[in-house]
Amino acid sequence: MPDRGGGPTGPRIRVGRPSRRVRTLLMTLGVLAVLAMLFVMFAGFWTDWLWYRSVKYSSVFTTTLWTKVGLFAVFGLLMATAVGVNIWLAHRLRPPLSAMSMEQQNLDRYRMGIAPYKKWVLLGITALVGLIAGASAAGQWRTWLMWVNGVAFGQKDPQFKMDVSFYAFDLPWYRFLLAFGFAAAVLSLIAAALTHYLYGGLRVTSPGARATGAATGHLSVLIGVFVSLKAVAYWLDRYGLAVKSSDFKAAGNWTGLRYVDANAYLPAKTILFCIAVICAVLFFATLWRRTWQLPVIGFGLMVLSAILIGGLYPAIVQKFQVQPNEQAKEAPYIKKNINATREAYGIDDADVQDYKGKGDPGKKAEQRKAADAAASYRLVDPNVVSPAFQQLQQERKYYQFPATLDVDRYTGPDGKPQDTVVGLRELNITGIPKRNWINDHFTYTHGYGVIASKGTNTVTDENDGTIGAPDFTESGLPTTGQLGKYEQRVYYGEKTEQYSIVGGPQKELDYEKNGEETTSYRGKSGVDLSNPVNRAAYAVAFSEPQMLYSGAIGDGSRILYNRTPKERVEAVAPWLTIDGDAYPAVVDGRIQWIIDAYTTTNGYPYASRTTLGDTTADSLTDNQRAVVAQQNQVNYIRNSVKATVDAYDGTVELYQWDTKDPVLKTWMKAFPDTVKAKGDIKPELLAHLRYPQDMFKVQRELLTRYHVTDPAQFYSGSDAWQVPDDPTNKDSSAVPPYYLSLRMPGQTDQRFSLTTTFTPNGRPNLGAFMAVDADANSSDYGTIRVLRVTSTVQGPQQVQSELNGVPEVAEFVRNLRGTDSDIEYGNLLTVPIDEGFLYIEPVYARGGSANYPLLKKVAVSYGGKPVFKDTLGEALNAVFGAESAEPPPTTQPPPGDTTKPPATGDKALKQAIADAQKAYDDGEAALQKQDWTAYGKAQQALQDALQRAAEADSTSGAADGNGGGDSS
């Protein structure tokens, strides 16, 4: 009898239930906790929806969302149904009586424990596997959209004669379905086997048959489904050979069929497919035979065949047929790989010409004349002069310039395009004088203005007023110069990563000049925060409770975030791969960020793969500019979209650039009305579009091997190239490509181009020179020209070493170190002239009284003769031993200079000298205080005063001469 109290155990202590008040409190807290969790989830969803609606790309959000939801629901339900039905069926087919054995008696306890909760257990298991499968399927939304919207390439692979779209769009989806089927079959098999075991259908140690007939039939069908899927996998593997990657010593990373694939693996896959089909039929036949004898024999035969036919036979073919005569056997397949790779990366039309590399020594005068017209020599290196922009044009500590500036084209005073180095004065949040939440997010909200300088520059004696600083064509705060009037406020930029709240009661600091100027944002971008639900959602999303109660937020307040151009384009077009370098341009009175975007796939048959993140890395990507944000391997790429982001209101526009790209057409079907037609690009914008660096770097990497089209030569690797290391950088990193206006052999005029050099694999001499027409207005835009050097010519590293050995360089370096300065080399430009190559390198001095690089010298080399001079003209004269017939360039005062025009006569001269002395004194005082902003202004004032003094002196001298007297 149960113990009812008393006795040796003592009285039973009854634990009272919590009071109603406590239960109510606990229930309330539980409900609030659930509501808080739901609101956190809602906040993420709601803020995303509001942001997409604010940029007018809500269709991207809804299409992506509903695709994910649909895939989650369909495949989650399919998996849950498959597993649930098989558990239910196994339970339904359980034997009515279990065997009398210790095994079954032990299982009775589990059966009795589960019995009251069978439905809940079934529901829990199916829900769990359904959620996991649904989440996995939702991640395949890109694969689904590409499959359902796929556009034909119009090109067939050389082996199976299937359209490339089958490999790019269809095969990935079929493989996902196959993987899902395998998962469903395996999980169903495991679940059914455990259920049969739990209820006696399967027995391990019990006497008698190991399985009931019902369990045998059920599990055999599931194994038959698995083997059937294996048969489908063998069949798809045949096509997968066309996009299979392998290591081929003659070509490195290889994609596509080789001899052993076509003659061993391909027939092996076909045979294994047939064996798997027969094996699956034998498993299905157990529904009638109720024995596993034949299916097990068939399954063993399939496994043995997979080892012998699928593994051993190809190894024998490779060892005894291919290796003794590999070059001849692989030649047809190498040719297919070469053709496919060149087509997939857009290098099939590259114009490769033989080029001697050495000019005629007897044509110095003609070469000197040709040098003047060969290129617009960009001596201002955008990778070096950013500190000069920072010191001379930063104006305030809370502004900054990127470490690497950009090269663009603007119309000069002569009406001709000129290479221009540009940088945006962006907000630097760490430079705010007093950091707090209001200052960080309400007061300091934007940068101000474009700073530009001539790409070409002259280095003359300091007495003439040019001290090696950039020759600014747009400068000041607000800026003035050649760019005219434009909206100068920069709310969206590469350095603008924090959120700002604008347009409300809190005024923003616009800029400081003679005092603080304030403004209030009038753009239409951002999300309205006057709605309390929105405020609460953003307070949760940004973990900032002050948003809920701050008085700085009111009517008209809008929150700006996702403010870098790259973030915005990636968000509105998540199917694009974004170039690592966005660049600004002034277009129609607005600053527009221009972003190149790529469509890619890794399913182009026979085309070798490359890793974009590695291929686009060079000596500048370590700490100055980003690489392509893509580490997955791809084997097809097109610069199919040009995107713009307005620096003031953040408007994102996507323009179709490659009108033939089937991958872009596929995505345009999936996301209609998101990409505008190419014809919608305005001429003002078209003038600033250029060939993208990252695309160029991918193509040059492939051209190191795939400039060779002969299979035998490709196999031998005798003409392989490599991208040389940057000779101006101590790290072993690839030389970056350079934008430069130049004239290639056979051209009549200069073209804005992107250039690079190659060296033979493992050797330092020059192997080839590559240039692509980068001007979007040119009919030859995108045309790749390669000059293959046929003689032994010095490469970049060798030229740099020779320049370093010039006696004038050693003297220059000694003099610099005497002033606590050091030498800094700019970009080593290569220009083809008269069958030879002209190397030009700007040389900067950094340190001493000016802690930023000043252009001081120009190094030039041609035909193995290096020279080191003060100006480009002097260097060209020296290297060719002849003078130019062109008049020397004149130094112009910076455009937009607001100082008074120079007067005439002695009075003006004296005033200019006094101003120069004052500017010099101001500079020395600023130098003592290490106030680099004031020092930069003083240097600019000094330069202006010296210029006015020179002009006044010349005017005074002319007047004296006319009067016939001598003022002395």
Side-chain angles (χ1 to χ4, degrees):
M1 295 291 293
D3 186 4
R4 298 185 180 276
T9 60
R12 177 178 297 175
I13 300 175
R14 300 188 62 183
V15 179
R17 296 176 61 191
S19 66
R20 178 176 297 178
R21 180 178 298 177
V22 173
R23 292 199 305 271
T24 302
L25 178 61
L26 292 175
M27 185 176 296
T28 302
L29 291 175
V31 171
L32 290 176
V34 171
L35 289 176
M37 292 175 60
L38 290 175
F39 188 78
V40 169
M41 297 171 61
F42 166 78
F45 165 82
W46 185 243
T47 53
D48 284 347
W49 161 249
L50 291 174
W51 186 86
Y52 275 96
R53 191 175 65 175
S54 72
V55 293
K56 297 180 174 57
Y57 281 89
S58 55
S59 62
V60 174
F61 178 82
T62 54
T63 298
T64 305
L65 175 65
W66 288 117
T67 301
K68 291 179 179 178
V69 169
L71 291 172
F72 179 89
V74 170
F75 285 93
L77 186 61
L78 284 174
M79 182 65 77
T81 301
V83 175
V85 166
N86 280 285
I87 293 175
W88 173 82
L89 187 60
H91 179 265
R92 182 75 180 270
L93 297 176
R94 69 191 184 280
L97 297 173
S98 59
M100 297 299 294
S101 65
M102 287 298 297
E103 178 186 25
Q104 293 303 314
Q105 289 177 15
N106 290 332
L107 290 173
D108 280 341
R109 289 180 296 174
Y110 294 103
R111 287 194 287 264
M112 293 176 63
I114 292 174
Y117 311 105
K118 284 191 295 186
K119 292 182 179 179
W120 290 106
V121 171
L122 177 62
L123 182 63
I125 292 174
T126 55
L128 179 62
V129 297
L131 288 172
I132 295 173
S136 175
Q140 297 294 321
W141 64 271
R142 290 180 176 86
T143 308
W144 160 260
L145 288 176
M146 293 182 78
W147 177 69
V148 77
N149 296 287
V151 173
F153 276 67
Q155 297 169 321
K156 298 183 183 298
D157 78 282
Q159 181 67 40
F160 301 102
K161 309 305 178 184
M162 302 286 287
D163 191 89
V164 173
S165 61
F166 170 78
Y167 302 94
F169 306 141
D170 300 344
L171 192 57
W173 179 248
Y174 296 153
R175 281 176 165 168
F176 164 72
L177 292 179
L178 191 62
F180 179 83
F182 275 125
V186 169
L187 289 176
S188 297
L189 181 62
I190 294 172
L194 289 174
T195 306
H196 280 300
Y197 176 70
L198 182 63
Y199 287 96
L202 291 178
R203 302 156 189 162
V204 178
T205 60
S206 299
R210 294 293 181 226
T212 64
T216 299
H218 184 195
L219 296 180
S220 294
V221 169
L222 290 176
I223 297 174
V225 171
F226 178 86
V227 176
S228 298
L229 292 172
K230 188 62 179 174
V232 176
Y234 281 133
W235 188 257
L236 287 181
D237 284 347
R238 297 168 66 254
Y239 299 104
L241 292 173
V243 290
K244 183 191 74 171
S245 289
S246 60
D247 187 22
F248 185 21
K249 64 180 181 180
N253 185 14
W254 172 275
T255 300
L257 285 83
R258 291 160 55 191
Y259 181 90
V260 69
D261 297 312
N263 295 277
Y265 280 111
L266 187 57
K269 297 292 183 183
T270 305
I271 295 172
L272 290 172
F273 164 76
C274 297
I275 293 174
V277 170
I278 295 172
C279 186
V281 171
L282 292 176
F283 274 107
F284 291 136
T286 57
L287 285 172
W288 296 275
R289 293 180 54 85
R290 301 292 181 177
T291 176
W292 277 348
Q293 185 175 3
L294 283 178
V296 169
I297 293 174
F299 189 77
L301 176 62
M302 186 180 74
V303 173
L304 183 62
S305 300
I307 295 172
L308 296 178
I309 302 174
L312 184 60
Y313 174 61
I316 293 173
V317 171
Q318 178 68 24
K319 179 71 174 177
F320 295 102
Q321 289 190 32
V322 178
Q323 287 186 3
N325 192 19
E326 189 173 50
Q327 179 177 320
K329 294 288 188 182
E330 300 289 11
Y333 305 96
I334 292 175
K335 185 63 177 176
K336 294 175 184 178
N337 176 268
I338 291 173
N339 293 340
T341 302
R342 287 170 62 88
E343 167 62 31
Y345 290 94
I347 57 176
D348 51 325
D349 293 329
D351 181 14
V352 181
Q353 302 176 7
D354 287 341
Y355 189 78
K356 190 192 305 181
K358 292 183 177 180
D360 186 347
K363 298 171 59 179
K364 294 296 186 181
E366 292 87 341
Q367 292 165 354
R368 177 63 184 90
K369 183 178 180 182
D372 287 327
S376 175
Y377 303 103
R378 182 175 46 72
L379 299 183
V380 177
D381 185 353
N383 313 310
V384 172
V385 299
S386 179
F389 274 53
Q390 191 80 1
Q391 293 291 339
L392 300 177
Q393 295 295 329
Q394 181 187 21
E395 300 289 352
R396 294 293 183 269
K397 195 177 179 180
Y398 47 80
Y399 291 134
Q400 64 179 327
F401 291 94
T404 298
L405 303 175
D406 290 291
V407 178
D408 203 347
R409 293 142 295 150
Y410 288 92
T411 302
D414 57 359
K416 297 180 180 179
Q418 67 179 16
D419 292 355
T420 305
V421 177
V422 298
L424 253 61
R425 188 190 281 122
E426 292 193 48
L427 181 66
N428 178 15
I429 199 75
T430 60
I432 295 176
K434 185 177 181 181
R435 298 290 302 278
N436 55 55
W437 188 62
I438 293 294
N439 278 347
D440 285 0
H441 300 289
F442 291 82
T443 305
Y444 295 87
T445 59
H446 58 278
Y448 213 98
V450 176
I451 303 301
S453 79
K454 293 179 181 178
T456 56
N457 203 351
T458 57
V459 184
T460 61
D461 189 274
E462 293 187 11
N463 294 329
D464 290 336
T466 304
I467 60 172
D471 188 357
F472 292 110
T473 59
E474 184 78 17
S475 59
L477 179 66
T479 68
T480 55
Q482 290 184 1
L483 300 183
K485 293 189 64 176
Y486 64 98
E487 174 55 68
Q488 298 192 18
R489 298 173 183 87
V490 181
Y491 283 89
Y492 295 87
E494 288 182 301
K495 304 295 183 182
T496 315
E497 298 178 348
Q498 75 285 352
Y499 71 87
S500 289
I501 299 176
V502 298
Q506 179 71 37
K507 290 293 185 182
E508 310 163 47
L509 174 66
D510 202 19
Y511 61 87
E512 291 181 90
K513 193 168 185 181
N514 298 322
E516 288 191 359
E517 298 287 339
T518 60
T519 188
S520 186
Y521 185 67
R522 291 294 177 261
K524 295 183 179 180
S525 63
V527 178
D528 182 19
L529 288 184
S530 59
N531 184 319
V533 176
N534 292 357
R535 289 179 69 169
Y538 277 101
V540 171
F542 286 83
S543 302
E544 187 48 73
Q546 292 186 76
M547 286 188 188
L548 287 171
Y549 51 80
S550 174
I553 302 176
D555 290 341
S557 291
R558 309 179 72 83
I559 183 169
L560 313 180
Y561 63 106
N562 285 352
R563 297 170 70 183
T564 68
K566 185 172 179 294
E567 282 179 321
R568 296 180 80 77
V569 176
E570 280 180 334
V572 304
W575 34 273
L576 290 173
T577 299
I578 309 303
D579 189 270
D581 183 30
Y583 61 96
V586 176
V587 180
D588 284 339
R590 311 278 288 197
I591 301 173
Q592 298 285 349
W593 287 100
I594 300 175
I595 305 99
D596 287 284
Y598 310 103
T599 48
T600 63
T601 179
N602 65 352
Y604 198 100
Y606 271 103
S608 291
R609 292 184 170 90
T610 187
T611 303
L612 295 183
D614 296 336
T615 307
T616 58
D618 58 34
S619 64
L620 298 180
T621 55
D622 294 335
N623 54 17
Q624 295 191 52
R625 67 178 294 264
V627 298
V628 170
Q630 171 73 292
Q631 290 301 319
N632 296 329
Q633 288 194 326
V634 303
N635 66 354
Y636 172 93
I637 184 170
R638 290 291 185 271
N639 176 213
S640 51
V641 171
K642 301 286 189 179
T644 63
V645 174
D646 191 290
Y648 181 72
D649 63 19
T651 300
V652 182
E653 301 286 2
L654 307 176
Y655 297 98
Q656 183 182 17
W657 185 247
D658 189 330
T659 57
K660 297 179 180 179
D661 177 28
V663 180
L664 177 60
K665 291 179 180 178
T666 296
W667 287 119
M668 289 175 69
K669 281 182 63 179
F671 295 95
D673 302 323
T674 57
V675 181
K676 294 185 175 182
K678 186 175 184 178
D680 291 338
I681 300 177
K682 295 181 180 179
E684 293 81 3
L685 174 60
L686 189 65
H688 294 279
L689 300 184
R690 67 189 192 188
Y691 201 83
Q693 291 187 63
D694 286 332
M695 179 77 176
F696 184 79
K697 285 190 280 189
V698 170
Q699 291 175 320
R700 76 171 178 178
E701 181 65 32
L702 270 296
L703 277 170
T704 58
R705 291 176 292 143
Y706 286 93
H707 66 279
V708 176
T709 57
D710 178 67
Q713 189 178 17
F714 187 91
Y715 178 86
S716 69
S718 60
D719 194 25
W721 299 334
Q722 65 185 15
V723 178
D725 291 339
D726 188 349
T728 66
N729 195 299
K730 295 180 181 179
D731 298 330
S732 298
S733 303
V735 62
Y738 297 126
Y739 286 107
L740 180 69
S741 292
L742 59 78
R743 185 175 65 182
M744 289 287 284
Q747 292 181 333
T748 57
D749 56 350
Q750 294 180 14
R751 307 284 179 85
F752 185 66
S753 303
L754 192 54
T755 66
T756 191
T757 54
F758 297 103
T759 57
N761 200 9
R763 295 165 58 196
N765 55 288
L766 190 64
F769 175 80
M770 172 182 171
V772 63
D773 193 326
D775 186 352
N777 274 313
S778 171
S779 59
D780 291 332
Y781 172 85
T783 300
I784 297 174
R785 295 179 175 86
V786 180
L787 303 179
R788 179 167 42 201
V789 180
T790 58
S791 56
T792 303
V793 180
Q794 290 179 328
Q797 289 282 4
Q798 293 172 314
V799 171
Q800 187 67 54
S801 297
E802 273 208 348
L803 287 173
N804 292 342
V806 174
E808 290 91 335
V809 175
E811 182 182 356
F812 180 70
V813 172
R814 282 196 302 271
N815 293 337
L816 284 179
R817 289 178 178 166
T819 59
D820 198 24
S821 300
D822 206 352
I823 191 171
E824 188 166 346
Y825 291 106
N827 38 219
L828 182 60
L829 304 176
T830 308
V831 178
I833 294 177
D834 186 37
E835 293 294 327
F837 287 100
L838 176 67
Y839 290 94
I840 293 180
E841 184 174 52
V843 179
Y844 295 83
R846 182 166 184 167
S849 60
N851 192 24
Y852 56 88
L854 296 173
L855 182 59
K856 291 295 185 181
K857 297 283 186 176
V858 179
V860 173
S861 177
Y862 185 84
K865 177 183 178 181
V867 298
F868 190 72
K869 299 296 180 182
D870 289 336
T871 68
L872 177 60
E874 290 177 11
L876 291 175
N877 291 341
V879 80
F880 290 111
E883 294 191 1
S884 171
E886 298 291 331
T890 58
T891 304
Q892 299 290 337
D897 194 291
T898 57
T899 57
K900 60 183 179 180
T904 59
D906 293 338
K907 184 177 180 181
L909 178 59
K910 292 177 181 178
Q911 182 62 48
I913 293 173
D915 291 344
Q917 182 63 46
K918 182 179 183 303
Y920 176 82
D921 294 338
D922 291 343
E924 289 299 307
L927 189 61
Q928 293 295 326
K929 298 177 182 178
Q930 293 190 344
D931 184 349
W932 302 116
T933 300
Y935 179 80
K937 289 182 177 179
Q939 291 296 308
Q940 195 167 0
L942 176 60
Q943 181 177 347
D944 172 68
L946 292 172
Q947 176 71 20
R948 287 190 284 115
E951 292 175 357
D953 183 53
S954 116
T955 303
S956 175
D960 291 340
N962 291 336
D966 189 344
S967 61
S968 60

